[in-house]
Amino acid sequence: MTSCHNAVSLHEARKVAIFGGTHGNEMSGVTLVNLWTNNGAEIQRTGLTTKPFITNPRAVEKCTRYIDTDLNRAFTSENLSAPRSEDLPYEVRRAQEINQMFGPKGSPEAYDVIFDLHNTTSNMGCTLILESSKDHFILQMVNYIKRAIAPASCSLLLYEHPILQYATSRSIAKHPIGLEVGPQPQGVLRSNIFESMRVIVKHGLDFIELFNGGMEFPPCTVDVYRVSESMDYPRDTNGNIIAMIHPDLQDCDWEPLNPGDPMFQTFDGRTIFYEGSTVYPTFINEAAYYEKQQAFVMTKRETLVANGVKASKI
Amino acid sequence: MTSCHNAVSLHEARKVAIFGGTHGNEMSGVTLVNLWTNNGAEIQRTGLTTKPFITNPRAVEKCTRYIDTDLNRAFTSENLSAPRSEDLPYEVRRAQEINQMFGPKGSPEAYDVIFDLHNTTSNMGCTLILESSKDHFILQMVNYIKRAIAPASCSLLLYEHPILQYATSRSIAKHPIGLEVGPQPQGVLRSNIFESMRVIVKHGLDFIELFNGGMEFPPCTVDVYRVSESMDYPRDTNGNIIAMIHPDLQDCDWEPLNPGDPMFQTFDGRTIFYEGSTVYPTFINEAAYYEKQQAFVMTKRETLVANGVKASKI
Ligand SMILES: [Zn+2]
Ligand SMILES: [Zn+2]
């Protein structure tokens, strides 16, 4: 219950949603949301309403990432403002529905916080994905979560990039936050991954409850990995992949990749080395990113400063 | 080059196929078959013709297990003898085509050996799947492979069960053999899994070359895990899964499961213990088996005796 002099007043966060099944084969979020839909006691907190919600039910039913197009890239202003039509891809229609229910994106009526639950086949551990380096509410929340789960750890990935940032499901909230937990294969539920995700959501809700209850959170710093670039697999002239992630890089998410380090291994046994300045790769060998032509995402480390925050009682 | 007195004479094995993509999202086999289709030098052996073949190209293109139905369950005599029709599920039509090319199943024209390449999300390591305890050619081959890859290891799974055995793609060959290598998520290619599979296929082909070349293989014994039963996830009265593989069992394929050992963990935190005699579980938490209502497959250890074999020169 620290008090401080330079806390910024922010609106209370009363409307909270937890999205699962934005990708229908990422089972931790699907299972948690279904569980909490049946019995919400675990996610109830004083002073807020928390709505668990399956965003892509048809993909969940088929246990596939999506039906027509990636829902987690579908929340563009173009899609959201398109005239309603049965000819639109399923996920675009669904994005419009979700935007009506939890947005509209950018409006005062939008939900305050949306937790969006994802799994990855990459060895990323627990990762919180931020969409803005200037959302001090979220910066304070992730700082709170990191402290609460210690000595377990949690990486912070900042997707704030002119090209690589994408229009997520959660982006309709005032304060969007993604959870990405792995490694877990698509279509599989692993108890360790499931429990890690569950604990993080619970701490996130605790933070909101404390914030709404009047607690001031003093200024702090948070260390993030900022997405800087994406790396494709080596390909032949026909566009076919000719190499795999090198065994020395596989599963080494968040570890430094230095110039001269092995990066790919071609099918005929050659090693391709990394050239360039030191980066911290993540989403290494994520199943869903083959079609996005991403072997991994490169990040740079950075320390962000969060203002102190407190709830304004208007 | 051992000689022995009780070697059984068997036909030479001249026609060999390597199937990949029987499940379209199992990337090691898909990648190896595509590689060998472009350049077959690695799988050429004296005295045999080896055909690499993508069995379910539409599923491979969509990177999904199957289109309409599981191809690796489709090679029943009922399906194979069904009148050709566009109304049949895609995989049934495909099974008929494959049976024409590599069978017909049970006929003298059928291929001698089919290697069928699979991946699993389970921590099974390298596994060779046998369909008969009496196929002495295959027993000798797996014995040869096990010795060739030592000190690396390879488990032998015997799917010879009145109910649980199923009509595989490879079952149209005189000597079917499945390779199952994991853990690897669906849609992902891991270099370690890829290379393990590649080495096993190469030793298998070496065995056939030696056999055709006149080498006698003396009687031997092979230790197998025989499939005895299948275990479903705990479910509520609506059929919904209410528990996960227990963390003490997760990734422990081939290790003994004794009465009283933890088996499942319910979403509300209870442990469900195993009751029954000691078994050796495998396919633990395989993604594709949720829909088949299998949390894992139980096996019993058994030692098989293989006759000595040699090729008859007819
Ligand atoms: Zn996802
Ligand atoms: Zn398979």
Side-chain angles (χ1 to χ4, degrees):
Chain A
M1 197 74 84
T2 319
S3 156
C4 74
H5 299 295
N6 50 351
V8 176
S9 283
L10 299 174
H11 285 291
E12 293 174 338
R14 297 288 177 193
K15 286 157 66 184
V16 175
I18 303 172
F19 283 179
T22 290
H23 297 130
N25 53 13
E26 296 175 3
M27 299 310 294
S28 304
V30 170
T31 308
L32 282 171
V33 165
N34 283 333
L35 203 62
W36 290 333
T37 302
N38 288 330
N39 181 356
E42 194 175 336
I43 55 169
Q44 281 165 13
R45 296 291 184 281
T46 305
L48 58 149
T49 310
T50 306
K51 180 157 181 61
F53 188 75
I54 295 287
T55 44
N56 197 334
R58 282 184 54 192
V60 168
E61 194 185 340
K62 290 189 72 174
C63 197
T64 186
R65 184 172 174 88
Y66 56 77
I67 303 296
D68 293 328
T69 185
D70 192 335
L71 179 63
N72 210 31
R73 305 290 184 279
F75 288 76
T76 59
S77 52
E78 195 185 345
N79 280 344
L80 297 180
S81 64
R84 292 219 163 203
S85 154
E86 286 301 306
D87 296 338
L88 293 172
Y90 168 68
E91 278 83 4
V92 173
R93 285 179 280 139
R94 187 68 183 155
Q96 294 181 341
E97 290 171 17
I98 294 168
N99 190 45
Q100 288 305 311
M101 298 174 72
F102 297 94
K105 186 170 176 171
S107 77
E109 297 79 46
Y111 264 56
D112 295 299
V113 180
I114 295 176
F115 296 91
D116 195 18
L117 309 186
H118 291 262
N119 292 121
T120 173
T121 62
S122 305
N123 187 27
M124 290 169 66
C126 289
T127 302
L128 291 162
I129 305 184
L130 290 67
E131 306 209 344
S132 162
S133 60
K134 298 190 177 63
D135 184 338
H136 297 279
F137 178 85
I138 289 291
L139 292 174
Q140 287 287 353
M141 180 194 285
V142 299
N143 182 56
Y144 176 90
I145 292 171
K146 274 182 82 81
R147 286 162 184 255
I149 65 168
S153 74
C154 174
S155 304
L156 307 179
L157 179 60
L158 175 61
Y159 245 106
E160 189 186 46
H161 187 282
I163 296 157
L164 295 175
Q165 189 161 22
Y166 49 88
T168 60
S169 308
R170 58 191 174 268
S171 67
I172 55 178
K174 289 170 187 147
H175 305 290
I177 179 87
L179 265 77
E180 190 74 69
V181 191
Q184 182 172 271
Q186 297 174 345
V188 165
L189 185 66
R190 289 179 65 99
S191 58
N192 59 333
I193 303 294
F194 175 86
E195 295 296 348
S196 299
M197 181 176 277
R198 186 178 200 167
V199 163
I200 287 183
V201 174
K202 292 204 275 189
H203 288 308
L205 293 171
D206 289 347
F207 169 83
I208 303 173
E209 183 179 39
L210 292 170
F211 174 81
N212 286 347
M215 186 181 283
E216 281 188 27
F217 295 85
C220 65
T221 59
V222 288
D223 295 326
V224 303
Y225 295 88
R226 181 190 283 270
V227 170
S228 61
E229 240 177 304
S230 128
M231 176 68 79
D232 190 14
Y233 292 93
R235 293 172 190 270
D236 65 18
T237 48
N238 297 319
N240 297 314
I241 290 174
I242 58 165
M244 307 166 280
I245 296 289
H246 193 280
D248 289 0
L249 178 58
Q250 178 69 50
D251 301 326
C252 296
D253 300 71
W254 309 121
E255 294 179 25
L257 181 68
N258 295 307
D261 284 348
M263 181 167 56
F264 295 110
Q265 181 174 296
T266 66
F267 298 140
D268 52 10
R270 280 180 308 114
T271 296
I272 297 175
F273 299 93
Y274 174 67
E275 298 168 2
S277 61
T278 298
V279 290
Y280 297 83
T282 193
F283 279 116
I284 298 171
N285 211 350
E286 158 57 39
Y289 288 178
Y290 280 78
E291 68 175 24
K292 299 186 197 295
Q293 312 202 327
Q294 289 188 356
F296 54 90
V297 167
M298 291 182 272
T299 73
K300 304 262 187 185
R301 298 183 64 162
E302 186 176 326
T303 299
L304 301 179
V305 177
N307 291 338
V309 300
K310 64 178 180 191
S312 66
K313 291 281 179 191
I314 352 171
Chain B
M1 196 75 82
T2 320
S3 157
C4 74
H5 300 294
N6 50 351
V8 175
S9 283
L10 299 173
H11 285 291
E12 293 174 337
R14 297 289 177 193
K15 286 158 65 183
V16 175
I18 303 172
F19 283 179
T22 290
H23 297 130
N25 54 11
E26 296 175 2
M27 299 310 292
S28 304
V30 170
T31 308
L32 282 170
V33 165
N34 283 333
L35 202 64
W36 291 333
T37 303
N38 288 329
N39 181 355
E42 194 175 336
I43 54 169
Q44 281 165 15
R45 297 291 184 282
T46 306
L48 57 151
T49 310
T50 305
K51 181 156 182 60
F53 188 74
I54 295 286
T55 43
N56 197 335
R58 283 184 54 193
V60 168
E61 195 184 339
K62 292 190 71 174
C63 197
T64 186
R65 185 173 173 91
Y66 56 78
I67 303 295
D68 293 327
T69 185
D70 192 335
L71 179 62
N72 211 31
R73 306 290 184 278
F75 288 76
T76 59
S77 52
E78 194 185 344
N79 280 343
L80 297 180
S81 63
R84 291 219 163 203
S85 156
E86 286 302 306
D87 296 338
L88 292 172
Y90 169 68
E91 277 82 5
V92 173
R93 285 179 282 138
R94 186 68 182 154
Q96 293 181 341
E97 289 171 18
I98 294 168
N99 190 47
Q100 286 306 310
M101 297 173 71
F102 297 94
K105 186 170 176 170
S107 77
E109 296 80 46
Y111 265 56
D112 296 299
V113 180
I114 295 176
F115 295 92
D116 195 19
L117 309 186
H118 291 263
N119 292 122
T120 173
T121 63
S122 306
N123 188 28
M124 290 169 65
C126 290
T127 302
L128 292 162
I129 305 184
L130 289 66
E131 308 208 342
S132 162
S133 59
K134 298 191 177 62
D135 184 337
H136 297 278
F137 178 85
I138 289 292
L139 292 175
Q140 288 287 352
M141 179 194 285
V142 299
N143 182 55
Y144 177 90
I145 292 171
K146 274 182 83 81
R147 287 161 184 256
I149 66 168
S153 74
C154 175
S155 304
L156 307 179
L157 179 61
L158 175 60
Y159 246 106
E160 190 186 46
H161 188 282
I163 296 157
L164 295 174
Q165 188 160 25
Y166 47 88
T168 60
S169 307
R170 58 191 174 268
S171 68
I172 54 178
K174 288 169 187 148
H175 305 291
I177 178 89
L179 266 77
E180 189 74 68
V181 191
Q184 182 172 271
Q186 297 174 345
V188 164
L189 185 67
R190 289 179 64 100
S191 58
N192 59 333
I193 303 293
F194 176 86
E195 295 297 348
S196 298
M197 182 177 275
R198 186 178 200 166
V199 164
I200 287 183
V201 173
K202 291 204 278 190
H203 288 307
L205 294 170
D206 289 347
F207 169 83
I208 303 173
E209 183 178 40
L210 292 170
F211 173 82
N212 286 347
M215 186 181 282
E216 280 187 28
F217 296 85
C220 65
T221 60
V222 289
D223 297 326
V224 303
Y225 296 88
R226 180 190 284 269
V227 170
S228 61
E229 240 177 303
S230 129
M231 176 68 79
D232 189 13
Y233 292 94
R235 293 172 190 269
D236 65 17
T237 47
N238 297 319
N240 297 314
I241 289 174
I242 56 165
M244 307 166 280
I245 296 290
H246 193 279
D248 289 359
L249 177 59
Q250 178 69 49
D251 301 326
C252 296
D253 300 71
W254 309 121
E255 294 179 24
L257 181 68
N258 296 307
D261 284 349
M263 180 168 57
F264 295 110
Q265 182 175 295
T266 65
F267 298 141
D268 53 10
R270 280 181 306 114
T271 297
I272 297 175
F273 299 93
Y274 174 66
E275 297 169 3
S277 61
T278 297
V279 290
Y280 298 83
T282 193
F283 280 116
I284 298 171
N285 210 350
E286 157 59 38
Y289 289 177
Y290 281 77
E291 67 174 24
K292 298 186 198 295
Q293 312 202 325
Q294 290 188 356
F296 55 89
V297 166
M298 292 183 271
T299 73
K300 304 262 187 184
R301 298 184 65 163
E302 185 175 327
T303 300
L304 301 179
V305 178
N307 291 338
V309 300
K310 65 179 178 189
S312 65
K313 292 282 181 190
I314 348 170

